[in-house]
Amino acid sequence: MHAFKYHRPASVNDAAALAKGEAKLLAGGQTLVQTMKLRLASPSDIIDLGTIKDLAGIKSDGKTVTIGAMTRHADVAHSADVRKAIPALAALAATIGDRQVRSMGTIGGSLANNDPAADYPAAALALNATITTNKGKHEADKFFKGMFTTSLAAGEIITSVSFQVPKRAAYTKFKNPASRFAIVGVFVADFGGSVRVAVTGAGPVVFRQADMEKALGAKFAPESVAGIKVKQDGLNSDMHASAEYRAHLVTVMARRAVEAALK
């Protein structure tokens, strides 16, 4: 690990002022610290957001659940407000990594990092989330641009994420047994008049599955998606699963998610 300067700003404005050049923001550190140890990243400065109290917390008003960017996965998983309003979101948070990861990792860090196999991007996309930053707001549909790439500009810091409360929802994933990242994960959210289906792990970036959304909008039932075949073109293929297998898993996980949402 290379030498760097360490900062503990007291406010988002202070953090943004420091976020220049080769500086990196530190949220939970679950990705950044590891890449630094492997010398895949060599930031000149580390800006620790952990001391900014305004960035953590959970609020629910019945229509939306708003979670501060520095809120830990474990806090989301155990939140009474999240469990009541969007139990699928709490359940998702409980499946991230292991206990140590859930105790340190943050929702804002996960979304900003945008790992193609992360869980929160699927929740953000399926629950039509709004990502608020120190510079404005981003719709989830326009936020995830590509592998480890988002619409965040230089010096832009996520402050909170607001999820729309659905009528019912569920998230299921076929996980890597070692990392617990999603080989394929599917989040299904029924809003009464419309359905959103988000897929993570299958491709280089999280995406919505339009055919499944249309079928479930007509009839919210497992059989509505069971016969939908997902094209393997453009999907990930690696030592864990081929593109063909991932395409198959999207259908399997979607059917299971609908079954879970109906319970």
PDB file of all heavy atoms in Angstrom, residues 11 49 82 118 140 162:
ATOM      1  N   SER A  11     -17.983  17.952   7.516  1.00  0.00           N
ATOM      2  CA  SER A  11     -19.206  18.181   6.750  1.00  0.00           C
ATOM      3  C   SER A  11     -19.031  17.701   5.315  1.00  0.00           C
ATOM      4  O   SER A  11     -17.904  17.463   4.857  1.00  0.00           O
ATOM      5  CB  SER A  11     -19.558  19.670   6.744  1.00  0.00           C
ATOM      6  OG  SER A  11     -18.605  20.405   5.990  1.00  0.00           O
ATOM      7  N   LEU A  49     -15.570   9.597   5.234  1.00  0.00           N
ATOM      8  CA  LEU A  49     -16.895  10.185   5.427  1.00  0.00           C
ATOM      9  C   LEU A  49     -17.555   9.723   6.724  1.00  0.00           C
ATOM     10  O   LEU A  49     -18.637  10.185   7.072  1.00  0.00           O
ATOM     11  CB  LEU A  49     -17.804   9.828   4.241  1.00  0.00           C
ATOM     12  CG  LEU A  49     -17.318  10.266   2.852  1.00  0.00           C
ATOM     13  CD1 LEU A  49     -18.300   9.783   1.787  1.00  0.00           C
ATOM     14  CD2 LEU A  49     -17.145  11.768   2.787  1.00  0.00           C
ATOM     15  N   VAL A  82     -37.594  -0.002   7.830  1.00  0.00           N
ATOM     16  CA  VAL A  82     -37.382  -0.665   6.539  1.00  0.00           C
ATOM     17  C   VAL A  82     -38.139  -1.983   6.494  1.00  0.00           C
ATOM     18  O   VAL A  82     -38.787  -2.304   5.490  1.00  0.00           O
ATOM     19  CB  VAL A  82     -35.882  -0.900   6.276  1.00  0.00           C
ATOM     20  CG1 VAL A  82     -35.682  -1.625   4.935  1.00  0.00           C
ATOM     21  CG2 VAL A  82     -35.124   0.423   6.263  1.00  0.00           C
ATOM     22  N   ALA A 118     -23.121  -6.380  -7.284  1.00  0.00           N
ATOM     23  CA  ALA A 118     -23.614  -5.889  -5.998  1.00  0.00           C
ATOM     24  C   ALA A 118     -25.133  -5.986  -5.920  1.00  0.00           C
ATOM     25  O   ALA A 118     -25.832  -6.027  -6.939  1.00  0.00           O
ATOM     26  CB  ALA A 118     -23.173  -4.447  -5.781  1.00  0.00           C
ATOM     27  N   ALA A 140     -32.585   6.540 -10.536  1.00  0.00           N
ATOM     28  CA  ALA A 140     -31.873   5.260 -10.624  1.00  0.00           C
ATOM     29  C   ALA A 140     -31.769   4.777 -12.072  1.00  0.00           C
ATOM     30  O   ALA A 140     -30.752   4.200 -12.469  1.00  0.00           O
ATOM     31  CB  ALA A 140     -32.578   4.210  -9.775  1.00  0.00           C
ATOM     32  N   SER A 162     -33.509   7.540  -1.663  1.00  0.00           N
ATOM     33  CA  SER A 162     -34.933   7.412  -1.345  1.00  0.00           C
ATOM     34  C   SER A 162     -35.558   6.336  -2.225  1.00  0.00           C
ATOM     35  O   SER A 162     -35.521   6.439  -3.462  1.00  0.00           O
ATOM     36  CB  SER A 162     -35.658   8.741  -1.563  1.00  0.00           C
ATOM     37  OG  SER A 162     -35.193   9.721  -0.656  1.00  0.00           O
TER      38      SER A 162
END
